[in-house]
Amino acid sequence: MWHFPNCIGAIDEKHINIECPINSGSTFFNYKGSHSVVLLALVDADYKFIAVDVGSYGRNSDGGIFSKSTIGKRLSSNTFNVPKPIPITENIYHILSRARRVVENAFGILAARWRCFRKNLEVQPEFVDKIVLSSCCLHNMLCGDNAFEPEDTSTQNTESALTNLDFLRRNCTRDAFNIREKFKEYFISEVGRVPWQLDRVRKGRNT
């Protein structure tokens, strides 16, 4: 739907702000300066939650949360029922930011439907987990409602998405880096690129 080959979903984290739990110290204290429980979510092209993991401490790193989550463990052990990849030969194209934004939009829709997520939840963490999981289930049931459908931004944010991505290399594995390189080559090839993308990149550099 979002013209990104072999992409089965977009994953991200949302900090669910809470009041500091009793005798918790800095366990839930996050980098934003508040206390939170983390919702890790994998979202499909229709803004539905494919899988969620909630309950990690706000102070934990993104990588640590992912590796300890059920989602991360099942992906690592190849027990997540991921379909086999197909060769990238179709005349389809797009950029990662366009496909990735569905998870950010899903979080936005979740908070718009249940305004309690716009402020601190005044319950203990075990109840926060139940509230978040229930909200995610209800969100999926209501996804037929287009009241919160985000607008199409097919040509927005292209400058940042199409510029040099070497900074993303950080601590990635060689396999991950090779996969990124293959997609990069595809999206700048005659088959995979769109007519306007080079103009957008050059415009961003000139400004």
Side-chain angles (χ1 to χ4, degrees):
M1 183 182 297
W2 295 101
H3 308 292
F4 197 101
N6 290 344
C7 181
I8 60 172
I11 192 167
D12 202 0
E13 297 173 358
K14 176 178 176 60
H15 284 266
I16 307 297
N17 291 329
I18 62 174
E19 293 293 330
C20 181
I22 300 172
N23 299 323
S24 66
S26 61
T27 301
F28 295 89
F29 192 74
N30 61 44
Y31 69 96
K32 297 180 180 180
S34 59
H35 295 84
S36 64
V37 167
V38 179
L39 165 62
L40 174 68
L42 182 64
V43 175
D44 69 12
D46 293 313
Y47 309 105
K48 292 182 178 180
F49 294 108
I50 300 173
V52 297
D53 188 284
V54 61
S56 295
Y57 301 141
R59 72 173 184 179
N60 292 348
S61 66
D62 293 349
I65 291 172
F66 177 75
S67 62
K68 293 179 181 179
S69 69
T70 302
I71 298 173
K73 291 177 180 177
R74 294 192 64 177
L75 285 172
S76 297
S77 62
N78 294 319
T79 58
F80 204 73
N81 196 28
V82 175
K84 293 181 180 180
I86 58 175
I88 305 175
T89 56
E90 300 174 79
N91 187 22
I92 54 180
Y93 44 78
H94 234 292
I95 55 178
L96 179 60
S97 66
R98 171 75 180 277
R100 183 183 180 276
R101 73 185 184 91
V102 297
V103 65
E104 297 167 352
N105 288 342
F107 290 150
I109 295 170
L110 189 74
R113 284 182 167 143
W114 288 279
R115 302 297 178 89
C116 62
F117 294 125
R118 294 188 174 184
K119 60 181 181 179
N120 293 351
L121 294 182
E122 298 181 4
V123 295
Q124 291 301 303
E126 60 268 23
F127 295 108
V128 173
D129 297 354
K130 294 178 181 179
I131 292 170
V132 174
L133 289 173
S134 299
S135 299
C136 290
C137 291
L138 291 171
H139 166 91
N140 281 1
M141 294 174 62
L142 295 171
C143 270
D145 179 7
N146 294 323
F148 296 100
E149 184 71 17
E151 65 180 27
D152 184 4
T153 56
S154 58
T155 60
Q156 295 181 13
N157 300 323
T158 52
E159 290 90 346
S160 60
L162 293 175
T163 51
N164 192 308
L165 299 179
D166 285 341
F167 70 95
L168 290 178
R169 190 177 305 188
R170 292 184 293 185
N171 297 321
C172 69
T173 64
R174 174 53 54 182
D175 287 341
F177 179 73
N178 289 338
I179 290 172
R180 195 208 77 173
E181 289 297 298
K182 288 180 181 179
F183 274 114
K184 183 193 74 174
E185 294 300 325
Y186 175 77
F187 287 128
I188 63 175
S189 69
E190 292 292 336
V191 176
R193 70 184 181 189
V194 290
W196 45 261
Q197 71 183 39
L198 293 180
D199 290 337
R200 298 289 290 184
V201 171
R202 290 165 182 159
K203 179 181 178 181
R205 290 176 178 175
N206 291 335
T207 57

